[in-house]
Amino acid sequence: MNPLDEILARAEQRREDLDQMHADYEAIDATEYAQFNAEQDVRDAVRNTDT
């Protein structure tokens, strides 16, 4: 394999790795956002029953 092909192959692998990392972080963010919303719903429910 010539040096340019090696560089291109590494760049493609790096892009795939970054795409996977991005997808993983998006999933984590979505989970944390859903958890935050659920916690806020509980707080809102408690606050509304206190009045």
Side-chain angles (χ1 to χ4, degrees), residues 31-47:
T31 300
E32 289 177 350
Y33 186 69
Q35 181 179 354
F36 172 80
N37 282 334
E39 291 169 359
Q40 292 303 312
D41 290 345
V42 169
R43 288 182 182 146
D44 289 344
V46 168
R47 187 175 19 236

Side-chain angles (χ1 to χ4, degrees), residues 1 7-8 12-13 15 17 21 27 32 38-39 41 43 46-47:
M1 182 179 278
I7 291 169
L8 293 173
E12 177 61 22
Q13 181 60 51
R15 186 190 64 76
D17 292 346
M21 288 172 54
E32 289 177 350
E39 291 169 359
D41 290 345
R43 288 182 182 146
V46 168
R47 187 175 19 236

Side-chain angles (χ1 to χ4, degrees), residues 1 3-19:
M1 182 179 278
L4 180 57
D5 289 338
E6 290 176 19
I7 291 169
L8 293 173
R10 283 196 312 267
E12 177 61 22
Q13 181 60 51
R14 179 71 176 147
R15 186 190 64 76
E16 290 173 7
D17 292 346
L18 289 173
D19 287 347

